[in-house]
């Protein structure tokens, strides 16, 4: 082999080694969340629109989840379904600054835990009586090497929606109690 070819081969080996050192393979999953977006009429509830992918932090490989609909749209639909019976005239509920994060925590001698972290700011107004809150939700589940993170995300998002509805129902009740 000529010196020039050996030089090229060495260069290619070095570049391949450098690329391998950059980290594991990136996995992008589209997450079908349409089943959580149920029709419900409650225009008095709004969640500020958000967009974006969600990287699952704490894994050896890079896993990026792309929800088929924005998380804010799912939360709004779930809240409208759960809180519609709480409506009184001139009641509004508005949530903004929705932040979403998902991470996996590893501990020795314990199963790994995936946590979906959702936070936002919400304002409930019942005929001028205002209640403000900053709900922070952290549903979690055990994971292993075979975990399907897109399915897990849908499950944790459903759990977070239920917990959020319970917290905001308390805010609505507090605002309504001022009307008596």
């Amino acid at each position: 082999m000529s010196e020039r070819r050996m030089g090229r081969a060495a260069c290619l080996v070095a570049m391949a080694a450098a690329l391998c050192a950059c980290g594991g393979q990136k996995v992008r999953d589209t997450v079908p969340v349409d089943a959580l977006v149920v029709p419900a009429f409650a225009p008095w509830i709004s969640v500020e629109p958000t967009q974006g992918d969600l990287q699952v932090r704490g894994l050896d490989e890079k896993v990026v989840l792309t929800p088929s609909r924005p998380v804010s749209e799912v939360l709004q639909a779930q809240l409208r379904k759960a809180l519609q019976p709480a409506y009184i005239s001139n009641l509004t509920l508005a949530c903004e600054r929705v932040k979403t994060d998902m991470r996996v925590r590893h501990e020795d001698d314990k199963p790994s835990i995936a946590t979906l972290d959702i936070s936002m700011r919400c304002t409930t107004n019942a005929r001028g009586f205002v209640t403000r809150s900053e709900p922070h939700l952290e549903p979690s589940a055990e994971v292993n090497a075979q975990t399907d993170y897109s399915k897990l995300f849908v499950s944790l998002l459903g759990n977070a929606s239920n917990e959020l509805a319970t917290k905001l129902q308390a805010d609505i009740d507090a605002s309504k109690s001022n009307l008596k």
Side-chain angles (χ1 to χ4, degrees):
M1 198 183 257
S2 73
E3 217 174 290
R4 189 174 191 172
R5 284 187 180 169
M6 286 177 54
R8 277 191 202 163
C11 183
L12 288 173
V13 169
M15 287 190 322
L19 288 174
C20 288
C22 288
Q25 208 173 13
K26 184 176 183 178
V27 176
R28 181 173 298 272
D29 284 332
T30 299
V31 183
V33 295
D34 296 331
L36 294 174
V37 181
V38 293
F41 183 75
W44 54 277
I45 298 174
S46 65
V47 178
E48 181 181 60
T50 59
Q51 295 290 331
D53 294 342
L54 181 68
Q55 181 176 342
V56 181
R57 297 183 301 125
L59 298 175
D60 293 335
E61 73 272 351
K62 189 170 187 176
V63 175
V64 179
L65 303 176
T66 304
S68 59
R69 295 195 186 197
V71 169
S72 59
E73 191 176 328
V74 172
L75 294 174
Q76 179 173 278
Q78 290 290 305
L79 289 175
R80 285 180 173 182
K81 176 185 170 199
L83 299 176
Q84 176 58 36
Y87 182 73
I88 59 170
S89 64
N90 296 323
L91 174 66
T92 61
L93 171 62
C95 296
E96 60 186 7
R97 299 182 189 168
V98 177
K99 295 179 184 166
T100 309
D101 184 45
M102 190 166 180
R103 66 187 176 282
V104 177
R105 186 178 68 241
H106 307 278
E107 293 183 26
D108 293 338
D109 301 329
K110 291 184 180 178
S112 295
I113 303 289
T115 303
L116 177 63
D117 189 342
I118 299 178
S119 62
M120 67 195 71
R121 178 183 293 169
C122 296
T123 303
T124 304
N125 185 338
R127 298 182 189 153
F129 293 99
V130 176
T131 305
R132 289 186 176 84
S133 63
E134 294 189 17
H136 185 206
L137 315 159
E138 293 182 308
S140 60
E142 289 184 11
V143 295
N144 58 42
Q146 288 76 37
T147 298
D148 180 339
Y149 286 95
S150 62
K151 287 181 181 177
L152 178 64
F153 175 75
V154 172
S155 174
L156 293 178
L157 184 56
N159 293 344
S161 298
N162 292 335
E163 185 180 342
L164 179 61
T166 299
K167 288 183 177 194
L168 293 177
Q169 179 68 56
D171 289 349
I172 290 170
D173 293 343
S175 291
K176 283 178 166 180
S177 70
N178 291 314
L179 299 175
K180 295 178 182 178

